[in-house]
Amino acid sequence: MSELPQESGDARVDAIVAGLARLGELPVAEHVAVFDEAFSGLESTLAAVEGHVEGHVDEPAGPRVPGPPVPGPPAVGRP
């Protein structure tokens, strides 16, 4: 097996990957739970990074495609 980088450059990712080290101490039957936990953590971290840049929500990449209007909340006092 090839060597993996020691650090990713993101402390959150590094902590998740470091948690995989416990696999050697666990029976194989328990590995799936550890991988699921790591996957969920990485997925959450990626979502947080993709969704925010300096506290602002990013616009989706690519050209804007016109679509149907999105209805707003109903007006108060109007049927």
Side-chain angles (χ1 to χ4, degrees):
M1 200 155 91
S2 63
E3 283 293 317
L4 296 175
Q6 294 298 316
E7 294 181 359
S8 69
D10 187 301
R12 297 167 295 187
V13 171
D14 293 341
I16 294 166
V17 172
L20 295 175
R22 67 183 189 204
L23 289 170
E25 303 166 2
L26 297 172
V28 173
E30 295 180 29
H31 286 194
V32 172
V34 174
F35 284 121
D36 283 343
E37 181 183 313
F39 178 77
S40 294
L42 291 170
E43 194 172 44
S44 296
T45 301
L46 180 59
V49 170
E50 286 184 341
H52 295 87
V53 174
E54 296 182 19
H56 299 288
V57 176
D58 290 339
E59 290 291 324
R64 292 180 184 253
V65 178
V70 177
V76 177
R78 298 169 112 183

